[in-house]
Amino acid sequence: MAVFKVKASIHMIAASGFFMFAVAIGIHYQININGTIALMMIILGAIATSRLHLKAHTNQELIIGVFVGLFPQLIFSNYWL
């Protein structure tokens, strides 16, 4: 991201990466973690809201952060599962 001079929310990268990891583990082991997924969605929303409220990021930077956190988990899920 630094090479392309694009600012992304590191908080959203970390939280969405953990979210996708938990979803992939739930799918792989076929366990019901709907409550955990719902709680993590609320936490992702709270993180995004707080970053916007503090004027630390824009909407675009938060969305970039979510995708940067999700895609590596999706790409490498075949290798670690």
Side-chain angles (χ1 to χ4, degrees), residues 6-72:
V6 176
K7 185 177 174 188
S9 173
I10 295 176
H11 292 91
M12 292 301 287
I13 292 171
S16 62
F18 178 70
F19 170 75
M20 192 61 224
F21 174 77
V23 169
I25 290 290
I27 291 170
H28 179 73
Y29 290 112
Q30 298 178 352
I31 54 176
N32 183 5
I33 58 168
N34 290 339
T36 305
I37 291 172
L39 180 63
M40 285 195 284
M41 289 294 288
I42 291 170
I43 291 170
L44 278 170
I47 292 170
T49 302
S50 69
R51 302 308 293 165
L52 287 172
H53 179 72
L54 293 172
K55 295 184 172 107
H57 295 288
T58 63
N59 289 339
Q60 183 181 8
E61 293 166 352
L62 294 174
I63 292 169
I64 291 169
V66 168
F67 286 124
V68 169
L70 288 178
F71 282 138

